[in-house]
């Protein structure tokens, strides 16, 4: 799905207002989408067997729906996990922390990954350059989710990553 604005946003006198109105229209339209029905339809047509990352992404969306999670948090070295979570159309926002590759043999640029993630539906990308482990990165991501107002103590989050060739999904109660 896509929305495109034309000349008014590029050079018009009411560019900010045009974007605000379009954002309101998009939010209103999204409110009427049955995300779980879309998810079920996508699952019927998903490849079988799924690879680990695809299975992780679809499981995260299903679990978020089943446990009433307020958001899905993920780590991204390439952005693939965030893209696949977005593909399954969760109703929750996806907070994606773009990080350097855990093994320094692969070169990636977290800022470039974050820019790419901005084009995925529902993804809010962040970057971090520290070379921490997955648990430390996820703890940082939870702190950022609180700062952004995406969650508060008592809320549930789905946390996923596929770092170091280990696919992990956790249901986390925010402290």
């Amino acid at each position: 799905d896509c929305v495109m604005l034309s000349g008014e946003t590029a050079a018009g006198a009411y560019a900010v207002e045009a974007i605000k109105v379009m954002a309101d229209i998009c939010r209103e339209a999204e409110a009427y989408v049955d995300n779980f029905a879309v998810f079920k339809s996508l699952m019927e047509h998903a490849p079988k067997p799924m690879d680990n990352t695809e299975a992780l992404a679809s499981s995260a969306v299903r679990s978020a729906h089943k446990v009433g999670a307020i958001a899905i948090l993920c780590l991204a070295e390439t952005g693939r996990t965030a893209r696949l979570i977005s593909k399954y159309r969760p109703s929750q926002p996806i907070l994606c922390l773009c990080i350097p590759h855990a093994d320094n043999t692969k070169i990636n640029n977290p800022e470039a990954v974050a820019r790419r993630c901005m084009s995925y539906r529902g993804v809010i990308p962040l970057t971090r350059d520290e070379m921490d482990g997955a648990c430390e990165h996820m703890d940082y991501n939870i702190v950022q989710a609180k700062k952004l107002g995406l969650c508060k103590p008592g809320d549930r989050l789905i946390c996923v990553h596929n770092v170091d060739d280990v696919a992990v999904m956790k249901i986390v109660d925010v402290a």
Side-chain angles (χ1 to χ4, degrees):
D1 298 342
C2 175
V3 173
M4 187 171 92
L5 296 171
S6 60
E8 186 59 45
T9 54
Y14 301 101
V16 173
E17 290 82 359
I19 291 172
K20 286 180 181 178
V21 168
M22 187 59 74
D24 289 343
I25 291 168
C26 290
R27 275 191 287 278
E28 187 70 21
E30 284 284 324
Y32 290 95
V33 174
D34 183 350
N35 289 307
F36 197 66
V38 172
F39 170 78
K40 288 193 292 188
S41 176
L42 286 168
M43 288 302 295
E44 288 174 9
H45 299 92
K48 292 180 183 67
M50 289 182 173
D51 70 25
N52 288 352
T53 308
E54 182 106 13
L56 179 70
S58 64
S59 296
V61 173
R62 182 179 187 280
S63 296
H65 175 75
K66 293 293 183 185
V67 303
I70 201 82
I72 299 173
L73 279 59
C74 72
L75 303 180
E77 293 174 331
T78 65
R80 183 168 183 255
T81 302
R83 179 177 56 82
L84 289 172
I85 293 170
S86 176
K87 167 186 169 179
Y88 287 100
R89 308 269 314 230
S91 56
Q92 301 83 355
I94 305 160
L95 186 61
C96 176
L97 182 61
C98 303
I99 59 173
H101 274 283
D103 67 3
N104 284 324
T105 61
K106 296 179 182 176
I107 298 172
N108 78 320
N109 179 342
E111 288 79 20
V113 173
R115 282 191 298 275
R116 198 169 41 250
C117 286
M118 291 178 82
S119 67
Y120 306 148
R121 180 193 174 277
V123 175
I124 304 165
L126 303 172
T127 61
R128 188 167 192 229
D129 291 323
E130 282 78 6
M131 293 297 296
D132 283 335
C135 290
E136 290 82 10
H137 283 308
M138 194 56 77
D139 289 343
Y140 177 85
N141 208 9
I142 293 170
V143 168
Q144 296 308 306
K146 288 180 190 176
K147 285 183 181 178
L148 291 170
L150 295 176
C151 65
K152 61 186 181 316
D155 287 340
R156 278 198 169 153
L157 302 171
I158 301 295
C159 298
V160 298
H161 67 80
N162 194 5
V163 177
D164 297 331
D165 295 323
V166 177
V168 176
M169 181 183 80
K170 295 181 190 177
I171 300 169
V172 175
D173 291 319
V174 179

